[in-house]
Amino acid sequence: MSRYPFARIDLAALKHNLQQVRQYAPDSKVMSVIKADAYGHGFIKIAKALNQSDAFAVARLSEALALRQNGFQQPITIFEGVSSTEEWHLVSDYGLTAVLHQQQHLDSLINAGINRPLPAIWLMLETGMHRLGLPEPAIQQIIHQLEKRKDLVEQYGLMSHFANSDLLDDLRNQQQLAIMHKLAESTGLPVCMANSAAIISLPESHYDWVRPGLMLYGASPFADKSGADLRLKPVMQLVSKLIATQQLKPGDQVGYGGQWTADKPMRMGVVSIGYGDGYSRHLSNAGTVMIRGQYTPIIGRVSMDTICINLNDCPQAQLDDEVIIWGADGVTVEWLAEKAGTIPYELLTCVTPRVQREYLNG
Ligand SMILES: *Cc1c(COP(=O)(O)O)cnc(C)c1O
């Protein structure tokens, strides 16, 4: 049975990238971000390979519980926090670390009557992103409340998130940092602020903890820099195979809507990958794949299960040849994301369960 398409996940590259995080931020602890099934890479295998991390972070309670159910004992931060009594009990019973970004969430914790104190929580400071976060006076107020409730929460720190850290030299990053810096100075609490882009470009944001996501998976967060420029190695290589070829005559149209027409006699190939695998339909007439080391452009629309490619520049291509969809020099996921009008985060997390993950160097 054919296993194509599949995602080849290089765990040695992942560990290399974690080492790079340590080199960029040598004095900080590392909270590896493995939300959204580890950016589409498969969270269990990725968490195992990242066991040198000081902690993990996910977006939701359900993701944290799945990690605990698979035996992971590390601290796990839940970025979205929790709000109900029942959820606070789970956080307490499983020793999880919630992010607090609403006063009501604290009220609900106080009323929840948890059985044992939470080892830690993060207080999310609003510094300019205007998504999850509380303004400084509200955080001061919460600190005041928590000081008297060590039976509820043993330790707490300050967290915030950059809105523009992928833009080098953007003044707004300095403005966000200044707001954090002021509260960090006056409270002396531990701070966690930097995502991948800030880890690489804003050393003054490293503080006590950093939280890399994308860079662990080997992709660059900057539009004008590649992963290789940043000493990162791509972790996922998405591969499939050539399942058909056809000879086209001038005037023949390819695929749904006839969005591409041959202008000369040519050979066309069909590759088994489509939007049902997470390959963006925005790459219709725009993407490129690699076959036998040769770039070949996509022609016509991306279908649910297949794409068509122009084989004129690769006459040696044969049925069943392996095709690299992304994750090689020249067809990086960052480059394709730009072609699709999106970001590598989206392409990686959109790879569907139909695509098997195969792990190398585990
Ligand atoms: C996803 C996320 C991160 C990781 O960001 P990257 O850009 O992937 O490094 C860090 N912090 C928060 C709050 C996040 O939601």
Side-chain angles (χ1 to χ4, degrees), residues 31 33-35 39 57-59 79-80 99 124 131-132 159-162 165 192-199 210-217 221 345:
M31 184 186 293
V33 181
I34 54 172
K35 61 189 178 185
Y39 290 44
V58 292
F79 287 149
E80 291 184 2
V99 173
M124 194 71 172
R131 191 177 60 177
L132 304 181
M159 191 176 265
S160 195
H161 192 52
F162 287 107
S165 53
C192 174
M193 191 152 180
N195 61 349
S196 297
I199 289 167
V210 293
R211 358 179 252 279
L214 190 69
M215 71 184 293
L216 288 173
Y217 308 101
Y345 300 79

Side-chain angles (χ1 to χ4, degrees), residues 9 12 21 35 56 83 87 146 161 186 206 222 236 258 266-267 269 289 291 304 307 318 329 350:
I9 312 279
V21 173
K35 61 189 178 185
F56 291 127
S83 62
E87 289 172 331
L146 289 177
H161 192 52
S186 70
H206 290 170
F222 306 108
M236 181 191 292
M266 62 166 288
R267 190 164 169 247
V289 300
I291 179 165
M304 189 182 292
I307 52 176
Q318 284 180 19
D329 283 348
C350 281

Side-chain angles (χ1 to χ4, degrees), residues 24-341:
Y24 280 108
D27 302 321
S28 306
K29 291 188 189 169
V30 177
M31 184 186 293
S32 291
V33 181
I34 54 172
K35 61 189 178 185
D37 201 22
Y39 290 44
H41 293 65
F43 77 96
I44 293 178
K45 286 282 183 9
I46 295 296
K48 278 201 182 114
L50 290 176
N51 66 357
Q52 296 297 312
S53 313
D54 302 291
F56 291 127
V58 292
R60 310 212 173 115
L61 176 59
S62 57
E63 298 177 293
L65 292 175
L67 278 166
R68 282 283 182 265
Q69 274 145 20
N70 281 281
F72 294 98
Q73 307 287 321
Q74 291 90 337
I76 304 172
T77 295
I78 305 167
F79 287 149
E80 291 184 2
V82 299
S83 62
S84 70
T85 299
E86 186 200 354
E87 289 172 331
W88 278 118
H89 275 273
L90 287 167
V91 166
S92 155
D93 293 347
Y94 287 91
L96 302 170
T97 309
V99 173
L100 197 84
H101 56 81
Q102 294 283 298
Q103 176 66 46
Q104 286 101 306
H105 293 179
L106 180 59
D107 302 340
S108 128
L109 169 63
I110 290 169
N111 295 322
I114 52 173
N115 304 318
R116 48 176 169 154
L118 307 179
I121 60 172
W122 289 104
L123 309 178
M124 194 71 172
L125 175 66
E126 179 55 62
T127 58
M129 172 93 177
H130 296 111
R131 191 177 60 177
L132 304 181
L134 285 161
E136 194 242 44
I139 297 278
Q140 294 275 21
Q141 178 58 33
I142 288 173
I143 292 171
H144 192 67
Q145 278 178 283
L146 289 177
E147 267 168 7
K148 295 175 288 191
R149 293 301 303 268
K150 291 288 175 191
D151 59 312
L152 220 51
V153 182
E154 286 168 357
Q155 282 182 50
Y156 40 92
L158 302 172
M159 191 176 265
S160 195
H161 192 52
F162 287 107
N164 302 288
S165 53
D166 57 323
L167 304 176
L168 299 170
D169 305 320
D170 193 297
L171 260 185
R172 290 169 293 184
N173 295 323
Q174 295 307 326
Q175 289 162 354
Q176 287 196 256
L177 259 176
I179 294 172
M180 174 57 89
H181 198 66
K182 186 160 159 274
L183 191 61
E185 288 272 278
S186 70
T187 61
L189 290 173
V191 173
C192 174
M193 191 152 180
N195 61 349
S196 297
I199 289 167
I200 296 163
S201 69
L202 291 166
E204 64 274 40
S205 72
H206 290 170
Y207 289 105
D208 307 270
W209 284 86
V210 293
R211 358 179 252 279
L214 190 69
M215 71 184 293
L216 288 173
Y217 308 101
S220 164
F222 306 108
D224 58 348
K225 285 198 167 63
S226 70
D229 290 340
L230 305 171
R231 309 191 303 268
L232 303 173
K233 296 183 180 168
V235 174
M236 181 191 292
Q237 191 173 65
L238 188 60
V239 288
S240 193
K241 69 171 183 173
L242 197 63
I243 60 164
T245 63
Q246 271 197 41
Q247 215 47 58
L248 302 180
K249 340 181 267 308
D252 284 349
Q253 298 186 341
V254 172
Y256 287 118
Q259 296 288 298
W260 192 89
T261 307
D263 58 0
K264 54 183 183 234
M266 62 166 288
R267 190 164 169 247
M268 180 276 290
V270 182
V271 182
S272 180
I273 188 113
Y275 61 79
D277 304 296
Y279 193 79
S280 173
R281 196 166 169 277
H282 295 291
L283 291 166
S284 298
N285 274 317
T288 300
V289 300
M290 203 188 283
I291 179 165
R292 295 191 179 227
Q294 181 78 44
Y295 301 115
T296 59
I298 291 178
I299 55 179
R301 282 191 187 150
V302 173
S303 307
M304 189 182 292
D305 312 308
T306 54
I307 52 176
C308 296
I309 57 175
N310 182 343
L311 288 176
N312 267 7
D313 290 334
C314 191
Q316 69 277 31
Q318 284 180 19
L319 218 56
D320 291 336
D321 271 359
E322 191 163 287
V323 180
I324 297 180
I325 308 299
W326 72 54
D329 283 348
V331 280
T332 62
V333 69
E334 298 98 306
W335 183 83
L336 269 182
E338 205 197 318
K339 292 263 167 202

